[in-house]
Amino acid sequence: MRAVFLDKDGTLIENVPYNVDIQHIKLTQGAIEGLRLLEKAGYKLIVITNQSGVARGYFPESALLAVENHLRQVLADEGISLTDFYYCPHHPKGIMAELAITCDCRKPAPGMLLRAACQHNIDLENSWFIGDILNDVEAGRRAGCKTILIDNGNETEWQLSALRTPDYTVSDLAAAAQAIISTKIFPRDVPPERLYQ
């Protein structure tokens, strides 16, 4: 089973900081076109998002259920199925004591991707992570995925390293989908030339 993991804010939907009001949720340019291509190519679509607003006390964790349900409905109306929705409510500087921790799920840690892979039997080596900042890229690389950065201005620090270098940099989800479906991923333990023998 292959998946495309999607950051939410700035990647799948327009970036409105700490927003849980569904009236302000708008899909990004190219999202519908890109997701249709990916689903048609056989990829499961899974959202992976940091939601530190919970730990910071900006909104209750329960508010994220309405966001998830709204996104599922908006995509379903376009004939697109969202396989799952994972979020990290933690932040070390949060005001909610039980959530003010250093966890293994907050990106750039790969915990949410690893949990999704276990629950949905996802082959991470043949999967992708698409995000709009380099923490997304690092999370994907640490989980063993190929990665794509949507360069829309949301990454401002550009602290590059081997783990923070995307396989592709594109302008939107439609371009990301085109890059994915045109790329052949080889099993890491098999030299590419042997696959054609």
Side-chain angles (χ1 to χ4, degrees):
M1 194 72 69
R2 302 179 302 170
V4 172
F5 300 102
L6 301 153
D7 168 61
K8 180 172 75 72
D9 301 301
T11 301
L12 178 59
I13 65 173
E14 296 292 341
N15 189 26
V16 179
Y18 304 111
N19 176 57
V20 290
D21 182 348
I22 64 173
Q23 300 300 318
H24 297 299
I25 292 176
K26 179 182 176 184
L27 294 175
T28 55
Q29 177 180 327
I32 294 300
E33 177 186 348
L35 297 182
R36 281 178 176 157
L37 283 172
L38 293 170
E39 192 167 51
K40 185 177 180 182
Y43 287 94
K44 298 295 183 184
L45 304 173
I46 299 175
V47 170
I48 302 289
T49 179
N50 288 349
Q51 293 295 316
S52 68
V54 180
R56 296 175 190 272
Y58 296 162
F59 52 82
E61 191 168 351
S62 59
L64 294 172
L65 180 59
V67 171
E68 176 186 353
N69 288 340
H70 178 72
L71 276 174
R72 285 184 182 278
Q73 187 59 58
V74 167
L75 294 176
D77 289 345
E78 298 290 343
I80 299 165
S81 176
L82 187 62
T83 297
D84 217 330
F85 182 100
Y86 293 85
Y87 64 87
C88 169
H90 309 112
H91 195 282
K93 296 181 180 178
I95 64 168
M96 311 294 286
E98 67 277 16
L99 300 175
I101 61 171
T102 299
C103 61
D104 64 359
C105 56
R106 179 173 171 79
K107 296 176 292 182
M112 287 186 280
L113 289 89
L114 299 178
R115 182 157 52 106
C118 181
Q119 292 178 342
H120 295 283
N121 195 29
I122 301 296
D123 175 3
L124 290 170
E125 289 188 2
N126 286 294
S127 296
W128 294 77
F129 192 106
I130 305 173
D132 65 325
I133 62 172
L134 293 177
N135 277 355
D136 297 323
V137 171
E138 182 175 342
R141 294 289 298 273
R142 289 172 68 181
C145 299
K146 298 289 187 183
T147 60
I148 295 181
L149 177 70
I150 294 180
D151 186 7
N152 56 12
N154 289 337
E155 176 56 64
T156 58
E157 297 179 359
W158 294 102
Q159 295 178 354
L160 292 167
S161 67
L163 284 175
R164 295 169 69 84
T165 302
D167 293 281
Y168 295 99
T169 299
V170 299
S171 59
D172 61 22
L173 270 175
Q178 290 287 353
I180 289 171
I181 63 176
S182 66
T183 300
K184 176 68 176 177
I185 301 179
F186 301 111
R188 292 185 179 157
D189 57 345
V190 179
E193 60 272 14
R194 286 186 53 200
L195 293 174
Y196 296 105
Q197 295 175 355

